[in-house]
Amino acid sequence: MSIYVGNLSYSVSQEELSDVFSEYGTVTRVQLPTDRETGRSRGFGFVEMESEAAETAAINALDGAEWKGRVMKVNKARPREEKGGRSGGGSWGKSNSGGYSRRY
């Protein structure tokens, strides 16, 4: 299982995040997604720990804790939702009269 860590400072490194969580158990993996265009951190990350007990301890201790001037949001990560394809379906852009409306 993975832990979601939100509201991180954009300057946080994987090593720093690992150090914070290692106080509660062995960290097996840290991911800090970056923006495709700028390469800058997106302000959230994922931490995987060796045991569920370590994950629970870290979540309980760190959720709502202030770090680097930001209040962290820490909880169990939810599985990534599948994004639907662009094939048919839906009524995107259609008005009630059956025509299309443009909104900007």
Side-chain angles (χ1 to χ4, degrees):
M1 191 62 176
S2 189
I3 300 171
Y4 167 82
V5 187
N7 200 30
L8 291 173
S9 167
Y10 295 116
S11 65
V12 169
S13 71
Q14 288 184 341
E15 185 177 330
E16 290 173 316
L17 192 57
S18 180
D19 288 346
V20 168
F21 277 80
S22 67
E23 293 181 30
Y24 305 96
T26 303
V27 174
T28 57
R29 185 174 177 194
V30 174
Q31 289 180 280
L32 288 173
T34 55
D35 183 271
R36 286 185 187 130
E37 293 178 17
T38 65
R40 186 177 94 163
S41 170
R42 295 178 64 193
F44 67 92
F46 299 94
V47 176
E48 292 179 14
M49 301 187 76
E50 196 169 62
S51 71
E52 192 165 326
E55 287 181 353
T56 301
I59 290 168
N60 290 338
L62 298 173
D63 187 35
E66 187 174 332
W67 185 45
K68 294 191 174 238
R70 315 268 318 241
V71 177
M72 292 189 294
K73 177 68 181 158
V74 182
N75 55 38
K76 284 207 179 268
R78 293 185 299 236
R80 189 173 190 169
E81 293 180 14
E82 287 293 321
K83 292 185 179 181
R86 294 188 177 250
S87 59
S91 61
W92 184 85
K94 285 188 179 180
S95 69
N96 289 341
S97 63
Y100 288 87
S101 63
R102 291 184 127 169
R103 293 186 188 174
Y104 296 98

